[in-house]
Amino acid sequence: MRVFGGRCFETPPRLCSGGFMKVISTAEVPAAERFTFWREVTSKVWAPYDLRCEPHLESRFRARLDISEFGPVQASLMTATPYSAERTPRLIRQADPGLFGLVCTVRGHGVMAQDGRQAEFGPGDLMLADTSRPYRAELSPDVPGGQVLVLCLPRSLLPFPHRDLRHLTGVRLRGDQGMGALSSQFLLQLAQHMHELGPSDTARLSTLTLDVFTTALATALDAQGAVPPHTRRRVLMAQIFGFIRRNLADPQLTPDAIAAAHHISLRYLHKLFHQEGHTVAGWVRERRLERCPRGPTRQFSVSFGWRGDA
């Protein structure tokens, strides 16, 4: 028996270390055993699923799972041959870890169905799944190697009634507008840079990861009042920092323009930066100076505003 990510595997997975990240891969598993092996892996990392794969794809099935811990949030980047996964009532009775999963599509397309709703999703889109109730998810075979980032956390960490969250399962949370765009941008960059993050980086990002998760759901539920003020402020600052980074080349990137883009007063913008120990103009100037690369982890850190020297 082997312990991995706080969970015990009766059958030791092909596990290797990628720095702070843990990696499970089918690369060294005989081809005829890969899909069965993958079924065991997903049942231990997430929950038991009924997995199905087209016969012509199963014969050359490949998959990889890169896992990091961001405080209470487990982030798993899965790259796999297209297949479907279903949580049935029988499997839920067999084991229920009581998790919510926020899924961000990095590459490919698919479908998710839960609670009588079904939605198609594509790159950047978000989907919420509850392991305690039946659902089905499928990666479309239009992309040979689909990729999704899955954030899992216990229900108890979300400040919303479970009955309200049921309104979001089986629903596409658009990744191209509003808070969904912020969450999507954060998660896509997280997927891109996970291999570069060490323990201190994941510790710094853990609070923001949970905040972005919570605020995205609150926005979708129109329940912003359930999110503590300090959480809303941190997420707003992450949104502002990302906006500045994306528009550094714009000569019209002024404090007035930044405030207007986020529907806040200029006075409040200056107050937010003062609380962070910066001025607006000074932070913009520093980011422009950092256009010269200082390493991938540093670039990721400043994109979301946490300090590289903290």
Side-chain angles (χ1 to χ4, degrees):
M1 183 175 290
R2 187 168 188 172
V3 177
F4 174 70
R7 297 171 173 83
C8 293
F9 287 81
E10 295 180 356
T11 303
R14 274 60 172 179
L15 177 65
C16 60
S17 175
F20 183 62
M21 175 180 293
K22 300 302 180 182
V23 179
I24 305 176
S25 173
T26 62
E28 298 180 5
V29 180
E33 302 175 14
R34 285 175 184 164
F35 198 62
T36 299
F37 166 76
W38 195 246
R39 181 181 289 108
E40 296 178 4
V41 166
T42 56
S43 70
K44 301 299 183 182
V45 172
W46 294 315
Y49 291 94
D50 180 11
L51 303 189
R52 297 180 184 276
C53 186
E54 295 293 334
H56 70 284
L57 295 176
E58 184 174 344
S59 62
R60 55 178 186 270
F61 183 83
R62 290 183 178 274
R64 172 182 167 127
L65 198 61
D66 302 70
I67 305 176
S68 286
E69 305 287 341
F70 292 85
V73 181
Q74 181 195 68
S76 303
L77 181 63
M78 183 188 77
T79 307
T81 301
Y83 69 93
S84 66
E86 185 173 5
R87 283 283 284 163
T88 65
R90 178 183 62 82
L91 293 175
I92 292 171
R93 289 192 298 270
Q94 175 182 324
D96 179 16
L99 299 174
F100 273 107
L102 185 66
V103 182
C104 177
T105 310
V106 180
R107 184 173 65 242
H109 298 78
V111 176
M112 180 176 284
Q114 189 168 32
D115 294 322
R117 294 179 295 269
Q118 177 173 300
E120 297 182 357
F121 56 85
D125 288 336
L126 309 178
M127 303 288 289
L128 183 69
D130 183 354
T131 62
S132 298
R133 297 194 311 285
Y135 73 88
R136 185 175 187 276
E138 179 178 352
L139 286 172
S140 172
D142 62 337
V143 176
Q147 189 173 65
V148 296
L149 179 67
V150 183
L151 300 187
C152 287
L153 77 166
R155 290 195 205 95
S156 60
L157 293 182
L158 293 173
F160 313 108
H162 298 165
R163 64 179 180 275
D164 292 346
L165 289 172
R166 289 189 180 187
H167 296 298
L168 298 184
T169 54
V171 174
R172 175 193 177 205
L173 305 179
R174 294 178 62 95
D176 58 358
Q177 60 188 26
M179 287 303 301
L182 170 62
S183 301
S184 176
Q185 179 194 11
F186 175 79
L187 295 178
L188 289 173
Q189 288 207 33
L190 187 63
Q192 181 181 355
H193 294 280
M194 274 176 62
H195 294 84
E196 303 157 5
L197 303 178
S200 61
D201 300 322
T202 56
R204 289 171 179 167
L205 285 170
S206 62
T207 299
L208 181 56
T209 301
L210 181 57
D211 287 348
V212 169
F213 193 147
T214 302
T215 305
L217 296 182
T219 302
L221 289 169
D222 195 22
Q224 290 89 337
V227 181
H230 65 274
T231 295
R232 293 198 299 272
R233 184 180 68 81
R234 279 197 297 260
V235 173
L236 175 59
M237 286 305 299
Q239 186 177 29
I240 292 171
F241 287 139
F243 175 83
I244 292 173
R245 289 286 299 175
R246 293 192 301 274
N247 293 278
L248 282 176
D250 185 353
Q252 302 302 316
L253 185 65
T254 64
D256 287 293
I258 296 169
H262 295 87
H263 310 289
I264 59 177
S265 69
L266 180 61
R267 180 179 179 181
Y268 186 52
L269 177 70
H270 285 301
K271 179 181 178 180
L272 289 172
F273 273 79
H274 178 73
Q275 291 172 342
E276 293 287 322
H278 299 288
T279 64
V280 181
W283 202 88
V284 172
R285 182 170 59 253
E286 290 173 7
R287 301 293 78 78
R288 283 173 170 160
L289 290 174
E290 288 177 347
R291 281 286 186 162
C292 297
R294 297 188 181 184
T297 302
R298 173 69 178 180
Q299 283 192 324
F300 181 62
S301 69
V302 298
S303 294
F304 291 95
W306 55 272
R307 301 167 188 163
D309 55 356

